[in-house]
Amino acid sequence: MDEKQIFNKEFLDLDFKLISEEINKNGFFSYDGALSENFINNIKNDVTDSGLSLNKNNVAGVYFTHGNQFFLTHMLAVSKSFFNYCTNKKVLDICTNYMGEGFRLKALRYYENFGGQVMQWHTDNRYYDGSNKDGINTKTPGLIFLAYISDVNDGEFQYIKGSHKWSLENKYNDYSIDYVEKNYKNEIVGFKKPKGSIVIYNTHGVHRAKPSKDKKLVRKSLFFQVDKELEHSEPILVKTEYMNNFDDRIKLYLGFGKKTGMEMYPN
């Protein structure tokens, strides 16, 4: 699957500098319908084929947090479409333009949020190695690519505009609902968007999935995180038959020959 089968032409034609400028200014960049219908259908099929990890000697998904979330973490081992998306030249060029040379894939997953889940406001500039239950805070520059695999009209991703500029002043990563409502209510940006839309955001920004009381809600998303710190990542499984291109940039990006050092999420 080439990049034209993954992204629409308008997204591919976007200037890297425009994306970086938006992220630097607001903490995020978003684009409606960046991903093709064909790509979305392939991801759905790959997730369905992988199934649930229950007495199954294969890579599959798990339910988490009392059934309010479903995760399929090892997408690079079950989906050639995701591999081509995650390692796409457009993605790597966006990362290079924003962070410079040398960065590593830290975490990735397909996940589903269900109604009734309450997610805390938080930042993603931390990692878990088992030594600290709250995680280890880091100032390392990083980006997260979030893509909607279903239309999202409720339970949407929310980001506090500009929070990437002040969150590093704090030594903690989690923020209470009351604190955000009191201090940053007018800076909350919600992303109700159609399937195929992408949000690229700075890992230092404060964000969450908006709580929804709709018990029938299912928000389907793809997530992967990239940053400049090269010595840590979650364990990453890759199906080698997907790897048609194995240059030095891809090798470093996927962490070949590097230690992982982080706990799998969810464990």
Side-chain angles (χ1 to χ4, degrees):
M1 178 181 288
D2 63 31
E3 62 181 12
K4 292 182 181 178
Q5 294 177 295
I6 298 172
F7 300 107
N8 69 38
K9 183 179 184 302
E10 290 76 16
F11 181 79
L12 287 175
D13 288 343
L14 286 174
D15 187 342
F16 303 127
K17 292 181 179 179
L18 171 65
I19 297 174
S20 293
E21 287 171 0
E22 285 290 311
I23 298 173
N24 282 328
K25 179 182 176 182
N26 299 318
F28 58 82
F29 170 87
S30 68
Y31 195 93
D32 290 8
L35 296 168
S36 73
E37 188 75 24
N38 183 52
F39 171 79
I40 293 168
N41 289 334
N42 285 339
I43 291 295
K44 289 180 178 179
N45 290 336
D46 291 338
V47 171
T48 299
D49 291 344
S50 181
L52 184 64
S53 184
L54 183 64
N55 196 29
K56 185 176 182 180
N57 189 19
N58 204 343
V59 178
V62 297
Y63 284 100
F64 182 60
T65 318
H66 307 294
N68 282 337
Q69 288 180 293
F70 172 82
F71 285 89
L72 179 50
T73 301
H74 294 296
M75 288 295 291
L76 291 175
V78 301
S79 175
K80 182 172 177 58
S81 292
F82 181 82
F83 180 91
N84 291 341
Y85 162 60
C86 185
T87 62
N88 189 269
K89 183 179 183 299
K90 182 71 174 183
V91 168
L92 299 181
D93 286 346
I94 289 171
C95 292
T96 299
N97 185 263
Y98 190 75
M99 293 182 285
E101 299 291 340
F103 44 82
R104 186 174 175 185
L105 182 64
K106 283 301 168 71
L108 58 124
R109 47 190 166 266
Y110 167 92
Y111 68 95
E112 297 177 1
N113 282 346
F114 304 110
Q117 180 200 16
V118 178
M119 181 182 290
Q120 188 166 12
W121 289 99
H122 65 282
T123 65
D124 285 327
N125 58 310
R126 58 180 161 182
Y127 65 88
Y128 294 87
D129 63 359
S131 64
N132 187 319
K133 67 180 181 64
D134 295 319
I136 298 171
N137 201 26
T138 173
K139 295 184 178 181
T140 305
L143 291 175
I144 286 175
F145 290 72
L146 175 67
Y148 287 166
I149 303 302
S150 59
D151 293 334
V152 177
N153 298 307
D154 190 12
E156 69 273 14
F157 175 74
Q158 294 180 307
Y159 194 99
I160 300 178
K161 185 177 179 179
S163 57
H164 64 301
K165 297 178 181 179
W166 51 257
S167 69
L168 285 177
E169 299 172 3
N170 304 320
K171 295 182 179 180
Y172 49 85
N173 302 87
D174 295 323
Y175 298 81
S176 70
I177 293 174
D178 290 341
Y179 175 83
V180 171
E181 284 291 316
K182 180 180 178 180
N183 296 283
Y184 298 104
K185 183 178 181 179
N186 295 330
E187 302 302 320
I188 296 173
V189 179
F191 295 85
K192 292 183 179 181
K193 290 184 174 293
K195 63 182 177 181
S197 298
I198 286 180
V199 183
I200 306 171
Y201 61 94
N202 188 302
T203 55
H204 300 157
V206 182
H207 62 277
R208 71 170 183 177
K210 184 180 180 181
S212 172
K213 296 180 180 179
D214 181 2
K215 297 297 184 180
K216 296 181 180 179
L217 172 73
V218 182
R219 193 194 97 187
K220 301 177 180 181
S221 306
L222 287 176
F223 165 106
F224 65 89
Q225 179 174 349
V226 184
D227 70 35
K228 291 282 290 181
E229 204 279 317
L230 301 178
E231 300 305 318
H232 293 89
S233 80
E234 292 183 7
I236 292 176
L237 305 184
V238 180
K239 197 168 187 177
T240 54
E241 69 181 59
Y242 299 159
M243 302 186 65
N244 298 321
N245 177 25
F246 193 50
D247 60 22
D248 288 341
R249 183 160 72 158
I250 294 288
K251 182 178 179 181
L252 177 61
Y253 177 67
L254 295 178
F256 277 81
K258 298 282 187 181
K259 292 182 178 180
T260 55
M262 288 170 58
E263 291 187 339
M264 180 57 63
Y265 183 85
N267 192 341

